[in-house]
């Protein structure tokens, strides 16, 4: 679906965090490669690695072993990768993605409530938002600790909308990854995807959500929607 000026303006917005608001996926990728090299594994085909984006827990090890071979030492690399990632991300702010500050400032000025739906654990999500000084924009933060089923299941977006006091049909969801898009579409949100490290597949595009190049485009669509709504009311 192409962005459309006839979109209804949202009652609330729900954002993904990693790779969407913050440039953390590149940090995760770089620490993964570093961890692999530290244990002597140099066959780090990124086509395999990117399949892990938006996933969590045991799924990641299964994907990597299937892609790299059963001898891939995930039991050693996984904990090392996590340590290296947190040594960085827990102590300094990740770069804010282009357009995020402008979009969040506009939404705040218009008093549109905002939430986060992330697969990160709560302490990590809270730390990332605080270090980047973005926490003030969000009244609701749903993490993997709050749900029984993570993305691509719709539960994170359903819960975020519920905590914001709106229906999912009244929400715009902004995502970067396939799992996140599937979660938000299944929940019934109007979905924008800003791809990060991985472009959406033809199969994903068939869901009919809006794929844009940056959060600047989401801001432009939001302004158009607000103007359209005002024109309808006048």
């Amino acid at each position: 679906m192409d962005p459309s000026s006839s979109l209804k303006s949202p009652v609330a917005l729900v954002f993904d965090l990693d790779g969407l608001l913050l440039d953390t996926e590149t940090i995760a990728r770089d620490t993964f490669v570093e961890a692999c090299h530290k244990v002597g594994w140099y066959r780090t085909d990124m086509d395999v690695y990117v399949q892990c984006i938006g996933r969590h827990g045991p799924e990641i090890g299964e994907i990597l072993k299937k892609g790299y071979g059963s001898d891939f030492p995930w039991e050693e690399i996984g904990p090392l990768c996590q340590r290296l990632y947190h040594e960085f991300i827990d102590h300094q702010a990740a770069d804010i993605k282009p357009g995020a500050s402008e979009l969040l400032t506009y939404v705040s000025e218009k008093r549109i409530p905002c939430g986060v739906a992330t697969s990160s654990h709560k302490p990590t999500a809270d730390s990332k938002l605080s270090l980047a000084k973005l926490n003030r924009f969000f009244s609701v933060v749903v993490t993997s600790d709050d749900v029984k089923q993570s993305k691509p299941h719709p539960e994170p977006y359903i819960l975020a909308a519920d905590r914001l006091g709106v229906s999912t049909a009244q929400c715009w969801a902004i995502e970067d990854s396939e799992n996140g898009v599937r979660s938000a579409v299944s929940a019934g949100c109007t979905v924008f995807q800003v791809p990060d490290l991985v472009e959406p597949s033809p199969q994903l595009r068939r869901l009919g959500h809006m794929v844009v190049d940056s959060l600047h485009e989401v801001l432009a669509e939001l302004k158009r929607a607000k103007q359209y709504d005002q024109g309808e009311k006048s």
Side-chain angles (χ1 to χ4, degrees):
M1 183 188 299
D2 293 326
S4 168
S5 59
S6 64
L7 282 172
K8 288 187 177 180
S9 62
V11 176
L13 275 76
V14 183
F15 295 80
D16 179 47
L17 179 59
D18 295 294
L20 187 279
L21 292 174
L22 299 177
D23 190 16
T24 51
E25 294 294 358
T26 55
I27 298 168
R29 178 196 62 197
D30 293 346
T31 53
F32 170 74
V33 172
E34 182 181 355
C36 287
H37 291 179
K38 279 182 178 292
V39 303
W41 184 275
Y42 296 96
R43 305 197 301 273
T44 50
D45 178 357
M46 287 297 102
D47 287 342
V48 174
Y49 172 78
V50 296
Q51 297 174 42
C52 301
I53 294 174
R55 300 185 184 270
H56 62 96
E59 281 184 293
I60 295 175
E62 292 171 7
I63 291 167
L64 295 175
K65 281 184 174 290
K66 181 178 179 180
Y68 292 137
S70 59
D71 59 335
F72 179 72
W74 174 242
E75 292 74 14
E76 186 178 1
I77 288 173
L80 177 57
C81 184
Q82 282 292 306
R83 180 172 64 78
L84 293 171
Y85 178 75
H86 282 282
E87 282 176 359
F88 181 97
I89 207 70
D90 291 347
H91 302 288
Q92 53 188 299
D95 290 339
I96 297 171
K97 298 285 279 187
S101 295
E102 294 89 339
L103 175 55
L104 291 171
T105 297
Y106 176 82
V107 169
S108 178
E109 290 171 350
K110 296 299 181 182
R111 298 190 177 183
I112 303 172
C114 286
V116 167
T118 176
S119 296
S120 290
H121 291 292
K122 181 172 174 54
T124 302
D126 288 345
S127 175
K128 288 174 181 175
L129 288 167
S130 178
L131 286 168
K133 296 182 170 54
L134 296 181
N135 51 323
R136 63 191 175 91
F137 291 107
F138 301 103
S139 58
V140 166
V141 178
V142 171
T143 71
S144 62
D145 300 322
D146 298 307
V147 296
K148 293 181 179 179
Q149 300 187 81
S150 297
K151 302 173 185 178
H153 193 277
E155 185 182 356
Y157 278 96
I158 292 171
L159 180 58
D162 183 64
R163 289 183 176 178
L164 287 166
V166 300
S167 70
T168 54
Q170 296 173 304
C171 290
W172 281 15
I174 303 97
E175 270 284 354
D176 67 293
S177 71
E178 177 168 340
N179 270 3
V181 167
R182 292 189 181 280
S183 173
V185 169
S186 296
C189 303
T190 296
V191 182
F192 286 83
Q193 182 180 13
V194 185
D196 185 27
L197 298 183
V198 184
E199 287 298 315
S201 65
Q203 293 86 352
L204 188 67
R205 286 180 181 270
R206 291 191 193 108
L207 294 179
H209 63 293
M210 284 148 283
V211 181
V212 296
D213 291 332
S214 74
L215 291 170
H216 289 295
E217 291 188 45
V218 178
L219 174 56
E221 288 303 314
L222 180 56
K223 288 180 177 179
R224 288 191 193 103
K226 296 291 285 184
Q227 291 169 357
Y228 181 82
D229 280 0
Q230 288 168 2
E232 286 279 284
K233 293 172 184 176
S234 62

